[in-house]
Amino acid sequence: MDARRVGGRIAAARRALAAGGSLPIPVLRITNGLAMISLVLSSCDLLRLCSDRSRPLRFPLGGREFATVLCQLASVVYLLSLFGVPSGSGHPKAPASDDEGGGSPRRARAAADAPAAMHAGVEGGDEEIVAAVVSGTLPSHHLESRLGDCQRAARLRREALRRVTGRGVEGLPFDGMDYQAILGQCCEMPVGYVQVPVGVAGPLLLDGRQYHVPMATTEGCLVASVNRGCRAIAASGGAVSVLLRDAMSRAPVVKLPSAKRAAELKSFMEAAANFETLASVFNRSSRFGRLQGIRCALAGRNLYIRFACSTGDAMGMNMVSKGVENVLGYLQNDFPDMDLISLSGNYCSDKKPTAVNWIEGRGKSVVCEATIKGGVVQSVLKTTVQKLVELNIIKNLAGSAVAGSLGGFNAHASNIVTALFIATGQDPAQNVESSQCITMLEAVNDGDDLHISVTMPSIEVGTIGGGTCLTSQASCLNLLGVRGPNRDSPGANAKLLATIVAGSVLAGELSLLAALAAGQLVKSHMKYNRSSKDVASAAS
């Protein structure tokens, strides 16, 4: 506690006493001085008595000893009351904020680090607070911690924004959001929320179970297209998924004095004999984080160390980062000349289309396949097996190669991934690597039926943490049967969600390719992706 905060608490105690009419300020100064003198004198007397062997302390205490102890206790209780420590002395206790009790450790840390409560005179009515924000005397990002009411903080920030910009945000919804739930977890300085419609496609018949897939999107025809793909899959007996790998990655970059020294560290990190030791250090960070592998890349004297680990039902970026910090601290013992440049050196690689994710995988690596009957291709998809196979080769494979695509050998995997991510509270920006997908089609059973598969090496999802705590997103996870952690088998819910994402992509790929092969794409979008209101206004 710094001197300014101590002074503030003493001043607050004095104001509280003065406001209550207990003691005037001059008298209060005298009592403070007397209490300090009493504390010092009684402490010295107690020390002298305890060190006097000819007159040891005995119970019951004598008159002098009793008086000394009583003065000591009275002085301590009085002085503690000035610092706001509950002492039963009759000082009123400050009301608890909404953050107390319950809430995540992260939120508790945010509350602990928050600035002290507003001083008297500023924390008045809404008008005074808005004026303080507009003038800049009260930073907008301090409102939650200063007021202790997240709903009120967001409302006043919204009004301050209107006054500063001269533009209102009346169309931006405000009521209906739990602003306490997003504090320290989802979004800073909120002023409302954006409405995104959620449609449901399905049922998707996957691995013998049916799923109704929630999709948050503003693109007309998308949910209808995935729904048609689900219908074709179900009519053909369903799809099957295989989870190949489950490993979130984080890759710090460190610099050493020379390339030779960096190579020595690389050899140390990749040596099989050292893995168990490094894993034990890494795994201390979490009950669920388990190191699976380490891969290094060298660029001059810079070493990029890619850690991969399982993360239970969480997406796991924070979990991996904590484990990495543990290992880096351990490495400093043998490599004191190692200089950490960044906890993330882009070799991870997060939110970027990279070859390392395409080859090594990141998050969940899933393959999903189905065999669509020839009759279903004709009746539901309105095309033929041969047209679909040819289209996939020329468009998804050759066309993507001509474009120099990295992981984009598909029709529109990102469409489905993003819609599912927004609906279920995932990080939408991780759509970049999570949408890496290669779609394969071939004729089977003497050319009568169609085999389709999607291979997705980097699906990054979780069922706890981040936006999964929000009511709407939690409802969508609950619809899929994967809400929260899996108590019986940690990690099972996140893995299941990843397979549902791949199964939904399979349905979307099947339907869009069919629409292209049949020449129905424009007609479908004119039907589902054009508002009659927009068409009427354009015509006029």
Side-chain angles (χ1 to χ4, degrees):
M1 183 179 294
D2 58 28
R4 286 182 299 174
R5 188 165 295 185
V6 170
R9 293 205 173 191
I10 292 175
R14 287 175 174 172
R15 284 196 301 270
L17 288 171
S22 300
L23 289 173
I25 294 298
V27 176
L28 194 60
R29 290 174 180 167
I30 295 173
T31 57
N32 289 347
L34 290 175
M36 289 297 298
I37 294 171
S38 174
L39 178 64
V40 172
L41 292 178
S42 60
S43 299
C44 292
D45 200 28
L46 280 176
L47 288 173
R48 190 181 62 78
L49 288 172
C50 291
S51 60
D52 189 356
R53 295 186 178 181
S54 63
R55 190 179 176 185
L57 282 173
R58 293 198 180 112
F59 293 93
L61 297 174
R64 177 182 172 183
E65 291 86 351
F66 180 80
T68 301
V69 172
L70 185 62
C71 287
Q72 176 88 8
L73 290 175
S75 303
V76 170
V77 168
Y78 177 84
L79 292 172
L80 285 177
S81 69
L82 295 181
F83 293 94
V85 179
S87 59
S89 59
H91 293 295
K93 183 179 179 182
S97 72
D98 292 343
D99 289 340
E100 291 181 357
S104 66
R106 181 178 176 183
R107 209 171 296 157
R109 288 196 302 271
D113 294 337
M118 278 190 178
H119 58 78
V122 178
E123 194 183 9
D126 291 355
E127 183 60 34
E128 292 87 345
I129 297 172
V130 170
V133 174
V134 172
S135 66
T137 58
L138 174 60
S140 177
H141 62 275
H142 283 179
L143 282 175
E144 280 79 6
S145 59
R146 297 289 183 93
L147 300 180
D149 184 339
C150 296
Q151 183 91 4
R152 183 186 178 200
R155 177 169 53 81
L156 298 185
R157 179 181 295 112
R158 183 182 175 111
E159 173 59 20
L161 180 67
R162 184 189 67 79
R163 297 187 188 184
V164 169
T165 64
R167 298 181 180 89
V169 287
E170 289 77 11
L172 185 69
F174 179 79
D175 295 323
M177 168 64 70
D178 183 359
Y179 293 95
Q180 181 69 33
I182 67 176
L183 179 65
Q185 181 159 333
C186 296
C187 181
E188 297 76 43
M189 296 183 286
V191 294
Y193 59 95
V194 173
Q195 293 175 315
V196 180
V198 177
V200 177
L204 170 66
L205 182 57
L206 177 66
D207 298 324
R209 295 174 59 184
Q210 290 187 342
Y211 301 96
H212 290 83
V213 183
M215 301 176 65
T217 181
T218 56
E219 181 185 352
C221 208
L222 179 59
V223 178
S225 178
V226 175
N227 190 67
R228 182 173 73 148
C230 289
R231 191 150 46 94
I233 291 171
S236 301
V240 177
S241 68
V242 179
L243 191 138
L244 304 175
R245 193 185 298 113
D246 179 13
M248 179 51 66
S249 62
R250 172 61 86 199
V253 55
V254 297
K255 178 180 285 187
L256 290 102
S258 64
K260 180 180 178 182
R261 186 64 170 155
E264 290 174 0
L265 178 55
K266 181 179 186 296
S267 298
F268 179 88
M269 297 297 296
E270 294 182 337
N274 297 327
F275 181 79
E276 290 301 324
T277 300
L278 295 174
S280 65
V281 174
F282 184 98
N283 295 344
R284 293 174 194 163
S285 63
S286 170
R287 289 182 298 152
F288 303 107
R290 292 295 175 266
L291 186 64
Q292 295 185 349
I294 301 173
R295 179 178 294 272
C296 300
L298 198 64
R301 59 191 182 114
N302 301 311
L303 184 65
Y304 300 81
I305 312 169
R306 193 174 197 258
F307 295 81
C309 88
S310 58
T311 57
D313 284 305
M315 184 270 288
M317 286 293 298
N318 293 333
M319 193 183 301
V320 183
S321 297
K322 287 192 295 182
V324 168
E325 285 188 335
N326 286 351
V327 174
L328 292 176
Y330 172 80
L331 291 174
Q332 287 287 168
N333 297 324
D334 294 319
F335 295 87
D337 52 352
M338 179 186 75
D339 182 20
L340 175 63
I341 301 300
S342 174
L343 190 63
S344 173
N346 276 12
Y347 185 46
C348 309
S349 176
D350 188 40
K351 300 170 184 174
K352 287 164 281 290
T354 57
V356 69
N357 287 343
W358 179 246
I359 297 169
E360 297 291 334
R362 189 170 195 256
K364 277 70 173 171
S365 301
V366 182
V367 178
C368 190
E369 64 179 347
T371 299
I372 310 301
K373 298 176 180 177
V376 174
V377 171
Q378 293 181 1
S379 62
V380 177
L381 302 178
K382 311 300 182 184
T383 186
T384 66
V385 172
Q386 290 71 27
K387 284 185 178 180
L388 285 172
V389 172
E390 181 184 31
L391 174 64
N392 187 66
I393 293 172
I394 296 176
K395 170 185 165 59
N396 285 347
L397 304 184
S400 296
V402 169
S405 178
L406 183 59
F409 299 90
N410 58 78
H412 69 150
S414 63
N415 240 342
I416 295 89
V417 171
T418 305
L420 257 166
F421 271 29
I422 295 173
T424 58
Q426 311 305 311
D427 186 341
Q430 289 186 324
N431 149 72
V432 174
E433 63 268 42
S434 296
S435 297
Q436 291 190 124
C437 168
I438 182 168
T439 301
M440 302 290 292
L441 274 71
E442 59 181 304
V444 294
N445 300 329
D446 297 326
D448 293 335
D449 301 327
L450 176 73
H451 182 272
I452 179 172
S453 67
V454 292
T455 302
M456 306 180 68
S458 307
I459 302 177
E460 299 169 354
V461 293
T463 58
I464 57 175
T468 64
C469 69
L470 301 177
T471 303
S472 302
Q473 286 78 350
S475 297
C476 291
L477 289 169
N478 188 59
L479 177 65
L480 294 171
V482 295
R483 179 179 179 180
N486 190 304
R487 305 294 182 185
D488 298 326
S489 179
N493 282 357
K495 292 175 182 177
L496 178 54
L497 179 57
T499 62
I500 293 172
V501 170
S504 302
V505 168
L506 183 76
E509 290 287 280
L510 182 62
S511 185
L512 177 56
L513 289 172
L516 288 168
Q520 297 294 314
L521 181 65
V522 174
K523 182 179 179 181
S524 299
H525 274 273
M526 291 299 293
K527 178 179 180 182
Y528 291 102
N529 203 26
R530 291 291 296 273
S531 166
S532 58
K533 180 173 62 175
D534 292 341
V535 172
S537 62
S540 61

